[in-house]
């Protein structure tokens, strides 16, 4: 697999093992990424708009020691982004 695909993903989307959480009609699914022995903050944010499911993949540079801590932080960061951008997240 090429370096760019490892960094930015490629092909099929990853399947998160974490339970999605609903926040202000958005669905947040944490998906921490392994990063040099730690876990990078990452989540999928989805919302149905005009009958179409929109999706945004949130990735931050922050890393934490455990996947569980990164998953919790991913949800918190996603909520902040939703509060700041709302539906503009998908434009």
């Amino acid at each position: 697999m090429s370096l760019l695909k490892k960094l930015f993903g490629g092909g099929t989307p990853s399947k998160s093992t974490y339970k999605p959480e609903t926040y202000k009609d958005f669905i947040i699914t944490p998906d921490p990424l392994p990063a040099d022995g730690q876990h990078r903050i990452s989540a999928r944010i989805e919302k149905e708009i005009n009958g179409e499911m929109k999706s945004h993949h949130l990735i931050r540079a922050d890393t934490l020691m455990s996947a569980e801590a990164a998953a919790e932080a991913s949800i918190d960061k996603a909520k902040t982004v939703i509060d700041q951008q709302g539906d503009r997240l998908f434009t």
Side-chain angles (χ1 to χ4, degrees):
M1 180 178 278
S2 76
L3 176 62
L4 291 176
K5 283 187 180 179
K6 285 182 184 177
L7 287 175
F8 300 108
T12 59
S14 63
K15 300 282 186 191
S16 178
T17 58
Y18 297 93
K19 183 178 175 184
E21 182 175 316
T22 302
Y23 178 74
K24 295 185 177 180
D25 295 329
F26 291 81
I27 300 167
I28 303 168
T29 306
D31 190 20
L33 300 172
D36 297 326
Q38 296 187 17
H39 296 84
R40 187 169 314 284
I41 290 176
S42 174
R44 189 173 61 252
I45 303 171
E46 299 174 303
K47 183 177 181 183
E48 187 174 326
I49 300 175
N50 298 325
E52 181 182 351
M53 187 60 84
K54 301 285 187 173
S55 181
H56 176 80
H57 194 172
L58 171 79
I59 301 174
R60 293 292 182 257
D62 313 61
T63 57
L64 293 130
M65 294 301 292
S66 73
E68 292 75 23
E72 287 180 31
S74 296
I75 290 173
D76 291 340
K77 291 282 187 180
K79 287 178 179 179
T80 300
V81 169
I82 291 166
D83 289 341
Q84 292 173 344
Q85 298 184 28
D87 291 346
R88 291 177 301 160
L89 186 61
F90 305 113
T91 58

XYZ file of all heavy atoms in Angstrom:
703
model
N 0.850 -1.172 0.000
C 0.000 0.000 0.000
C 0.892 1.230 0.000
O 1.861 1.311 0.722
C -0.905 -0.013 1.231
C -1.823 1.178 1.304
S -2.941 1.130 2.720
C -4.201 0.081 2.066
N 0.535 2.228 -0.813
C 1.372 3.412 -0.923
C 1.273 4.276 0.330
O 0.317 4.190 1.097
C 0.970 4.234 -2.151
O -0.224 4.935 -1.900
N 2.261 5.129 0.496
C 2.300 6.025 1.648
C 1.086 6.946 1.672
O 0.486 7.168 2.720
C 3.585 6.850 1.622
C 3.724 7.904 2.725
C 3.734 7.224 4.081
C 4.964 8.729 2.517
N 0.683 7.469 0.503
C -0.476 8.375 0.466
C -1.756 7.667 0.874
O -2.582 8.236 1.580
C -0.635 8.985 -0.928
C 0.457 9.972 -1.322
C 0.265 10.455 -2.751
C 0.504 11.134 -0.362
N -1.931 6.431 0.467
C -3.123 5.686 0.866
C -3.122 5.434 2.372
O -4.161 5.472 3.016
C -3.231 4.360 0.117
C -3.720 4.521 -1.299
C -3.960 3.188 -1.941
C -4.448 3.352 -3.355
N -4.671 2.061 -3.998
N -1.952 5.166 2.943
C -1.867 4.959 4.393
C -2.230 6.236 5.145
O -2.903 6.195 6.163
C -0.462 4.513 4.796
C -0.155 3.079 4.451
C 1.229 2.722 4.924
C 1.611 1.325 4.513
N 2.977 0.991 4.902
N -1.769 7.382 4.636
C -2.025 8.652 5.314
C -3.456 9.144 5.130
O -4.081 9.620 6.064
C -1.070 9.732 4.793
C 0.378 9.619 5.232
C 1.225 10.675 4.532
C 0.495 9.773 6.735
N -3.972 9.045 3.904
C -5.254 9.662 3.592
C -6.362 8.661 3.317
O -7.484 9.043 3.038
C -5.109 10.591 2.388
C -4.126 11.693 2.643
C -2.896 11.699 2.024
C -4.420 12.704 3.538
C -1.984 12.706 2.263
C -3.511 13.712 3.798
C -2.291 13.716 3.154
N -6.051 7.405 3.390
C -7.068 6.391 3.127
C -7.210 6.172 1.637
O -6.845 6.993 0.822
N -7.741 5.081 1.306
C -7.951 4.770 -0.094
C -8.779 3.523 -0.189
O -8.714 2.653 0.670
N -9.612 3.469 -1.186
C -10.448 2.293 -1.351
C -11.609 2.303 -0.384
O -12.305 3.285 -0.240
N -11.794 1.206 0.316
C -12.954 1.066 1.188
C -12.775 1.832 2.489
O -11.691 1.873 3.052
C -13.203 -0.425 1.523
O -12.040 -0.930 2.162
C -13.508 -1.218 0.284
N -13.856 2.458 2.974
C -13.764 3.147 4.248
C -13.555 2.159 5.389
O -13.971 1.011 5.311
C -15.123 3.845 4.389
C -15.957 3.421 3.257
C -15.141 2.564 2.349
N -12.889 2.622 6.435
C -12.630 1.730 7.559
C -13.914 1.470 8.338
O -14.821 2.281 8.363
C -11.573 2.338 8.481
O -12.057 3.535 9.030
N -13.975 0.330 8.983
C -15.110 -0.040 9.827
C -14.696 0.197 11.269
O -13.785 -0.443 11.766
C -15.482 -1.511 9.625
C -15.876 -1.868 8.206
C -17.270 -1.422 7.925
C -17.672 -1.922 6.543
N -18.883 -1.349 6.078
N -15.356 1.128 11.915
C -15.011 1.445 13.294
C -15.578 0.390 14.233
O -16.654 -0.146 14.017
C -15.572 2.818 13.669
O -15.281 3.102 15.009
N -14.836 0.117 15.288
C -15.309 -0.816 16.312
C -15.993 -0.071 17.443
O -16.395 -0.681 18.418
C -14.139 -1.647 16.867
O -13.173 -0.752 17.402
C -13.505 -2.499 15.790
N -16.106 1.247 17.317
C -16.713 2.071 18.360
C -18.155 2.410 18.015
O -18.502 2.590 16.856
C -15.900 3.345 18.574
C -14.518 3.039 19.070
C -13.459 2.905 18.189
C -14.282 2.834 20.415
C -12.184 2.585 18.648
C -13.014 2.518 20.886
C -11.979 2.390 19.989
O -10.737 2.073 20.445
N -18.964 2.528 19.054
C -20.384 2.801 18.895
C -20.603 4.253 18.460
O -20.048 5.171 19.073
C -21.096 2.541 20.222
C -22.583 2.717 20.167
C -23.196 2.403 21.511
C -24.689 2.701 21.464
N -25.310 2.495 22.762
N -21.422 4.472 17.423
C -21.726 5.838 16.998
C -22.520 6.579 18.076
O -23.238 5.973 18.860
C -22.587 5.648 15.749
C -22.415 4.241 15.341
C -22.025 3.474 16.556
N -22.368 7.886 18.097
C -23.090 8.743 19.029
C -23.811 9.834 18.227
O -23.237 10.396 17.293
C -22.101 9.384 19.997
C -22.739 10.264 21.033
C -21.745 10.790 22.058
O -20.905 9.989 22.521
O -21.811 11.976 22.376
N -25.057 10.112 18.583
C -25.816 11.162 17.911
C -25.685 12.459 18.698
O -25.815 12.473 19.919
C -27.299 10.770 17.783
O -27.384 9.543 17.056
C -28.089 11.834 17.039
N -25.408 13.539 17.957
C -25.259 14.865 18.557
C -25.836 15.892 17.588
O -25.357 16.011 16.454
C -23.772 15.146 18.826
C -23.487 16.505 19.410
C -23.794 16.787 20.738
C -22.895 17.504 18.654
C -23.520 18.028 21.290
C -22.613 18.743 19.196
C -22.929 19.008 20.514
O -22.666 20.237 21.058
N -26.902 16.586 17.996
C -27.541 17.624 17.171
C -27.869 17.105 15.763
O -27.564 17.758 14.767
C -26.662 18.872 17.086
C -26.472 19.580 18.403
C -25.699 20.870 18.209
C -25.564 21.619 19.531
N -24.809 22.866 19.367
N -28.454 15.930 15.669
C -28.841 15.291 14.399
C -27.661 14.813 13.559
O -27.837 14.385 12.433
C -29.747 16.195 13.553
C -31.081 16.457 14.218
O -31.568 15.570 14.950
O -31.638 17.559 14.022
N -26.443 14.908 14.069
C -25.261 14.374 13.397
C -24.927 13.035 14.039
O -25.141 12.839 15.238
C -24.058 15.305 13.570
C -24.166 16.608 12.833
C -24.904 17.655 13.363
C -23.512 16.792 11.623
C -24.989 18.873 12.704
C -23.591 18.006 10.962
C -24.334 19.045 11.491
N -24.376 12.135 13.265
C -23.911 10.849 13.788
C -22.383 10.889 13.799
O -21.751 11.107 12.764
C -24.401 9.675 12.918
C -25.922 9.654 12.876
C -23.848 8.350 13.451
C -26.486 8.744 11.807
N -21.819 10.713 14.976
C -20.365 10.731 15.139
C -19.900 9.304 15.419
O -20.355 8.675 16.373
C -19.944 11.630 16.314
C -20.471 13.051 16.132
C -18.426 11.608 16.481
C -20.345 13.906 17.379
N -18.992 8.810 14.587
C -18.422 7.478 14.805
C -16.921 7.635 15.004
O -16.193 7.957 14.063
C -18.692 6.552 13.601
O -20.088 6.535 13.319
C -18.211 5.143 13.893
N -16.439 7.468 16.226
C -14.994 7.575 16.461
C -14.244 6.463 15.740
O -14.735 5.340 15.638
C -14.852 7.448 17.972
C -16.126 6.890 18.466
C -17.173 7.125 17.433
N -13.084 6.803 15.208
C -12.273 5.834 14.469
C -10.792 6.183 14.650
O -10.133 6.620 13.711
C -12.667 5.866 12.990
C -12.062 4.731 12.203
O -11.668 3.718 12.807
O -11.980 4.852 10.966
N -10.254 6.032 15.883
C -8.856 6.395 16.136
C -7.901 5.659 15.196
O -8.098 4.475 14.905
C -8.617 5.967 17.580
C -9.932 5.619 18.150
C -10.883 5.413 17.034
N -6.896 6.370 14.731
C -5.925 5.792 13.801
C -4.612 5.497 14.520
O -4.120 6.344 15.265
C -5.651 6.786 12.666
C -6.841 7.198 11.825
C -6.445 8.326 10.868
C -7.373 6.009 11.055
N -4.033 4.313 14.302
C -2.733 4.016 14.895
C -1.682 4.999 14.366
O -1.681 5.316 13.170
C -2.422 2.596 14.424
C -3.684 2.053 13.867
C -4.549 3.213 13.504
N -0.814 5.481 15.254
C 0.208 6.448 14.855
C 1.427 6.300 15.755
O 1.443 6.794 16.883
C -0.346 7.869 14.936
N 2.421 5.599 15.275
C 3.687 5.448 16.004
C 3.506 4.998 17.451
O 4.019 5.609 18.383
C 4.482 6.756 15.964
C 4.881 7.152 14.553
O 5.154 6.237 13.747
O 4.909 8.360 14.260
N 2.726 3.952 17.651
C 2.525 3.395 18.983
C 1.465 4.123 19.794
O 1.205 3.748 20.928
N 0.887 5.154 19.221
C -0.194 5.884 19.879
C -1.421 5.835 18.968
O -1.461 5.045 18.033
C 0.234 7.319 20.166
C 1.391 7.385 21.145
C 1.709 8.807 21.556
O 0.928 9.719 21.380
N 2.896 8.984 22.112
N -2.406 6.692 19.243
C -3.629 6.701 18.430
C -4.029 8.138 18.128
O -4.149 8.959 19.034
C -4.754 5.970 19.165
C -4.451 4.530 19.364
N -3.697 4.074 20.422
C -4.748 3.461 18.614
C -3.563 2.765 20.316
N -4.188 2.371 19.228
N -4.215 8.407 16.839
C -4.567 9.746 16.370
C -6.076 9.960 16.460
O -6.864 9.055 16.211
C -4.115 9.916 14.923
C -4.284 11.318 14.381
C -3.594 11.514 13.038
N -2.241 10.994 12.975
C -1.160 11.558 13.509
N -1.270 12.693 14.167
N 0.024 11.013 13.382
N -6.489 11.165 16.809
C -7.903 11.531 16.872
C -8.478 11.494 15.458
O -7.947 12.121 14.541
C -8.076 12.922 17.503
C -7.728 12.841 18.985
C -9.470 13.474 17.273
C -7.754 14.160 19.708
N -9.565 10.753 15.301
C -10.209 10.599 14.003
C -11.653 10.150 14.222
O -11.930 9.335 15.100
C -9.451 9.554 13.177
O -10.123 9.273 11.978
N -12.555 10.707 13.414
C -13.968 10.323 13.513
C -14.659 10.600 12.185
O -14.234 11.452 11.406
C -14.668 11.103 14.625
N -15.726 9.873 11.955
C -16.596 10.117 10.801
C -17.826 10.860 11.320
O -18.439 10.442 12.306
C -16.990 8.799 10.134
C -17.702 8.970 8.819
C -17.935 7.639 8.098
N -18.762 6.727 8.888
C -18.339 5.634 9.497
N -17.079 5.287 9.433
N -19.161 4.875 10.184
N -18.160 11.969 10.666
C -19.338 12.753 11.023
C -20.320 12.646 9.869
O -19.953 12.936 8.725
C -18.969 14.234 11.271
C -17.897 14.345 12.352
C -20.213 15.037 11.631
C -17.312 15.744 12.498
N -21.553 12.233 10.166
C -22.548 12.035 9.112
C -23.853 12.720 9.486
O -24.172 12.883 10.665
C -22.820 10.549 8.901
C -21.600 9.766 8.472
C -21.865 8.278 8.408
O -22.280 7.711 9.440
O -21.660 7.717 7.332
N -24.596 13.101 8.451
C -25.924 13.665 8.656
C -26.708 13.525 7.359
O -26.166 13.697 6.271
C -25.844 15.145 9.037
C -27.210 15.761 9.325
C -27.088 17.202 9.757
C -28.471 17.770 10.052
N -28.398 19.184 10.418
N -27.996 13.213 7.506
C -28.865 13.149 6.332
C -29.378 14.552 6.043
O -29.968 15.203 6.908
C -30.036 12.200 6.566
C -30.851 11.993 5.315
C -31.921 10.943 5.485
O -31.712 9.970 6.226
O -32.982 11.114 4.851
N -29.116 15.015 4.820
C -29.552 16.336 4.380
C -30.290 16.178 3.056
O -29.730 15.643 2.088
C -28.353 17.298 4.212
C -27.621 17.467 5.544
C -28.818 18.648 3.661
C -26.363 18.304 5.463
N -31.548 16.621 3.021
C -32.379 16.510 1.816
C -32.417 15.079 1.275
O -32.310 14.855 0.070
C -31.908 17.484 0.734
C -32.018 18.921 1.160
O -32.934 19.297 1.879
N -31.076 19.744 0.730
N -32.522 14.121 2.166
C -32.628 12.722 1.768
C -31.315 12.067 1.375
O -31.300 10.900 0.995
N -30.220 12.790 1.456
C -28.910 12.250 1.088
C -28.004 12.224 2.308
O -27.890 13.213 3.039
C -28.273 13.117 -0.008
C -26.931 12.618 -0.465
C -26.299 13.519 -1.525
O -26.969 14.440 -2.023
O -25.121 13.287 -1.835
N -27.341 11.096 2.553
C -26.424 10.966 3.684
C -25.092 11.619 3.311
O -24.428 11.212 2.368
C -26.204 9.504 4.053
C -25.400 9.322 5.320
S -26.146 10.056 6.779
C -27.260 8.782 7.273
N -24.735 12.652 4.062
C -23.473 13.368 3.866
C -22.476 12.859 4.899
O -22.844 12.493 6.008
C -23.663 14.873 4.047
C -24.669 15.485 3.103
C -24.098 15.599 1.727
C -25.057 16.371 0.827
N -24.461 16.647 -0.463
N -21.190 12.866 4.544
C -20.173 12.337 5.434
C -18.915 13.200 5.375
O -18.537 13.704 4.314
C -19.839 10.900 5.029
O -18.881 10.355 5.896
N -18.290 13.370 6.534
C -17.029 14.114 6.639
C -16.098 13.303 7.540
O -16.511 12.845 8.606
C -17.274 15.498 7.250
C -16.018 16.272 7.482
N -15.377 16.950 6.479
C -15.283 16.458 8.607
C -14.291 17.540 6.982
N -14.212 17.246 8.269
N -14.846 13.138 7.118
C -13.881 12.411 7.946
C -12.990 13.438 8.643
O -12.252 14.167 8.000
C -13.043 11.464 7.095
C -12.293 10.478 7.916
N -11.600 9.431 7.373
C -12.119 10.347 9.251
C -11.031 8.729 8.337
N -11.324 9.273 9.483
N -13.081 13.464 9.954
C -12.312 14.377 10.791
C -11.032 13.679 11.232
O -11.077 12.582 11.782
C -13.148 14.749 12.028
C -12.455 15.528 13.120
C -12.373 16.996 12.713
C -13.202 15.382 14.423
N -9.891 14.299 10.982
C -8.598 13.774 11.446
C -7.837 14.942 12.055
O -7.758 16.014 11.466
C -7.771 13.163 10.297
C -8.523 12.031 9.627
C -6.424 12.667 10.823
C -7.824 11.471 8.402
N -7.275 14.734 13.235
C -6.489 15.751 13.914
C -5.088 15.216 14.189
O -4.864 14.013 14.243
C -7.151 16.159 15.240
C -8.467 16.869 15.062
C -8.225 18.239 14.416
N -9.436 18.993 14.251
C -10.087 19.139 13.095
N -9.647 18.554 12.005
N -11.162 19.877 13.022
N -4.162 16.104 14.382
C -2.771 15.716 14.635
C -2.570 15.171 16.039
O -1.596 14.463 16.300
C -1.848 16.908 14.412
N -3.499 15.470 16.944
C -3.378 15.036 18.339
C -3.290 13.512 18.431
O -4.038 12.814 17.768
C -4.594 15.478 19.155
C -4.977 16.923 18.942
O -5.299 17.261 17.792
O -4.971 17.679 19.910
N -2.402 13.026 19.278
C -2.320 11.584 19.535
C -2.427 11.336 21.034
O -2.027 12.168 21.848
C -1.005 10.978 19.005
O 0.093 11.653 19.592
C -0.932 11.045 17.490
N -2.979 10.181 21.366
C -3.123 9.767 22.768
C -2.596 8.347 22.906
O -2.481 7.607 21.934
C -4.587 9.862 23.181
C -5.067 11.316 23.219
C -6.342 11.477 22.459
C -5.235 11.747 24.642
N -2.311 7.964 24.145
C -1.700 6.664 24.396
C -2.625 5.486 24.098
O -2.189 4.473 23.587
C -1.205 6.570 25.849
C -0.059 7.516 26.155
S 1.390 7.241 25.108
C 1.899 5.648 25.702
N -3.923 5.605 24.411
C -4.815 4.467 24.207
C -5.863 4.786 23.137
O -6.244 5.946 22.944
C -5.528 4.084 25.506
O -6.531 5.027 25.833
N -6.331 3.744 22.491
C -7.377 3.897 21.481
C -8.665 4.414 22.113
O -9.377 5.229 21.523
C -7.622 2.566 20.772
N -8.960 3.967 23.328
C -10.175 4.400 24.014
C -10.137 5.899 24.308
O -11.127 6.601 24.124
C -10.391 3.601 25.301
C -10.725 2.139 25.078
C -9.512 1.301 24.673
O -8.353 1.696 24.960
O -9.725 0.255 24.043
N -8.992 6.389 24.775
C -8.844 7.826 25.050
C -8.957 8.625 23.755
O -9.579 9.698 23.726
C -7.509 8.104 25.741
N -8.372 8.107 22.682
C -8.455 8.785 21.384
C -9.893 8.781 20.865
O -10.331 9.759 20.260
C -7.514 8.126 20.383
N -10.637 7.709 21.116
C -12.032 7.642 20.691
C -12.866 8.686 21.427
O -13.680 9.398 20.812
C -12.597 6.239 20.924
N -12.671 8.812 22.725
C -13.391 9.821 23.513
C -13.043 11.231 23.043
O -13.921 12.082 22.894
C -13.065 9.673 24.993
C -13.699 8.472 25.651
C -13.352 8.370 27.127
O -13.158 9.432 27.768
O -13.266 7.245 27.637
N -11.763 11.474 22.821
C -11.325 12.791 22.348
C -11.854 13.066 20.940
O -12.168 14.217 20.614
C -9.801 12.878 22.374
N -11.969 12.028 20.136
C -12.506 12.180 18.782
C -13.946 12.663 18.819
O -14.348 13.534 18.040
C -12.425 10.847 18.023
O -11.087 10.445 17.853
N -14.735 12.112 19.727
C -16.132 12.544 19.871
C -16.175 14.001 20.328
O -16.934 14.807 19.781
C -16.890 11.630 20.850
C -17.097 10.254 20.213
C -18.231 12.239 21.241
C -17.677 9.215 21.137
N -15.343 14.361 21.293
C -15.311 15.744 21.773
C -14.924 16.721 20.663
O -15.537 17.778 20.504
C -14.343 15.890 22.946
C -14.832 15.192 24.208
O -16.050 14.923 24.312
O -13.992 14.917 25.089
N -13.902 16.380 19.880
C -13.466 17.246 18.779
C -14.556 17.356 17.725
O -14.801 18.432 17.181
C -12.183 16.712 18.130
C -10.965 16.816 18.988
C -10.411 18.218 18.998
C -9.082 18.211 19.748
N -8.471 19.511 19.815
N -15.221 16.239 17.429
C -16.301 16.256 16.434
C -17.438 17.164 16.891
O -17.995 17.928 16.096
C -16.797 14.838 16.183
N -17.782 17.120 18.170
C -18.834 17.995 18.697
C -18.445 19.461 18.554
O -19.277 20.305 18.206
C -19.121 17.655 20.160
C -19.865 16.347 20.339
C -20.087 16.044 21.808
C -20.852 14.744 22.010
N -21.051 14.445 23.442
N -17.183 19.766 18.808
C -16.707 21.139 18.660
C -16.826 21.598 17.205
O -17.297 22.701 16.926
C -15.240 21.261 19.133
O -15.173 20.893 20.510
C -14.705 22.667 18.943
N -16.433 20.740 16.275
C -16.525 21.071 14.847
C -17.984 21.262 14.444
O -18.315 22.198 13.709
C -15.840 19.978 13.990
C -16.159 20.148 12.513
C -14.344 19.997 14.215
N -18.865 20.412 14.934
C -20.297 20.539 14.632
C -20.827 21.865 15.174
O -21.557 22.581 14.483
C -21.081 19.340 15.201
C -20.739 18.070 14.425
C -22.586 19.608 15.182
C -21.191 16.780 15.088
N -20.451 22.215 16.404
C -20.887 23.482 16.993
C -20.383 24.677 16.183
O -21.087 25.675 16.032
C -20.401 23.604 18.438
C -21.120 22.666 19.395
O -22.218 22.176 19.062
O -20.568 22.417 20.488
N -19.173 24.575 15.657
C -18.575 25.696 14.928
C -19.068 25.788 13.482
O -19.252 26.891 12.967
C -17.054 25.565 14.928
C -16.425 25.745 16.279
C -14.936 25.441 16.293
O -14.406 24.819 15.361
N -14.263 25.866 17.334
N -19.266 24.636 12.818
C -19.552 24.652 11.394
C -20.945 24.178 10.999
O -21.427 24.539 9.927
C -18.500 23.807 10.641
C -17.110 24.361 10.794
C -16.116 23.582 9.973
O -16.442 22.999 8.948
N -14.880 23.557 10.416
N -21.551 23.344 11.822
C -22.888 22.838 11.496
C -22.912 22.174 10.128
O -21.975 21.464 9.737
N -23.980 22.447 9.363
C -24.139 21.823 8.037
C -23.087 22.284 7.025
O -22.863 21.611 6.017
C -25.532 22.101 7.480
C -26.642 21.371 8.233
O -26.314 20.446 9.025
O -27.817 21.708 8.034
N -22.429 23.415 7.289
C -21.366 23.886 6.376
C -20.204 22.886 6.302
O -19.395 22.943 5.384
C -20.827 25.237 6.830
C -21.814 26.370 6.666
C -21.252 27.665 7.192
N -20.928 27.461 8.610
C -20.102 28.198 9.304
N -19.487 29.216 8.746
N -19.870 27.954 10.584
N -20.166 21.970 7.241
C -19.134 20.935 7.266
C -19.127 20.131 5.968
O -18.099 19.628 5.544
C -19.391 20.011 8.464
C -18.385 18.941 8.802
C -17.028 19.554 9.133
C -18.873 18.132 9.973
N -20.270 20.056 5.307
C -20.404 19.226 4.114
C -20.324 20.012 2.812
O -20.564 19.463 1.736
C -21.728 18.456 4.168
C -21.875 17.647 5.426
C -22.840 17.967 6.369
C -21.038 16.579 5.689
C -22.975 17.238 7.531
C -21.154 15.841 6.857
C -22.123 16.167 7.777
N -19.987 21.286 2.883
C -19.881 22.075 1.641
C -18.451 22.276 1.233
O -17.547 22.083 1.971
C -20.557 23.455 1.779
O -19.961 24.168 2.844
C -22.037 23.299 1.993
